[in-house]
């Protein structure tokens, strides 16, 4: 089974306010960058969206290591 590393982050200016998210998928040294944002959102929503979009980008079943600095997401 393939192994993918996914690095994610999300942030928001003010809470709620404009926010963005990003995810980097790494497979055998090859990186794919994903990003997006919302005009009115929260920090936690952007953290969750980064992971959801990263996982949604996978084209087949694989083993994933997720790296995030979000305590909300980890817990």
């Amino acid at each position: 089974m393939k192994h993918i590393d996914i690095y994610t982050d999300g942030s928001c200016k003010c809470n709620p306010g404009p926010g963005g998210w990003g995810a980097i998928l790494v497979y055998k040294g090859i990186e794919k960058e994903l990003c997006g944002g919302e005009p009115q959102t929260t920090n936690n929503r952007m953290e969750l969206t980064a992971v959801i979009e990263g996982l949604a980008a996978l084209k087949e079943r694989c083993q994933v290591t997720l790296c995030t600095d979000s305590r909300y997401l980890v817990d």
Side-chain angles (χ1 to χ4, degrees):
M1 184 177 291
K2 291 181 180 178
H3 179 265
I4 307 283
D5 294 317
I6 302 179
Y7 300 87
T8 66
D9 203 4
S11 67
C12 187
K13 184 173 182 171
C14 299
N15 206 12
W21 61 269
I24 300 174
L25 287 69
V26 182
Y27 175 67
K28 292 187 176 181
I30 298 170
E31 296 181 3
K32 179 177 184 174
E33 296 179 9
L34 307 171
C35 63
E38 296 288 331
Q40 188 70 7
T41 189
T42 64
N43 185 65
N44 286 339
R45 183 172 174 224
M46 292 294 92
E47 294 279 9
L48 291 168
T49 299
V51 175
I52 291 166
E53 293 295 334
L55 292 172
L58 300 176
K59 298 184 187 305
E60 62 186 77
R61 187 179 169 106
C62 53
Q63 190 175 49
V64 173
T65 299
L66 177 64
C67 300
T68 180
D69 65 352
S70 170
R71 282 287 12 129
Y72 179 76
L73 185 61
V74 170
D75 291 342

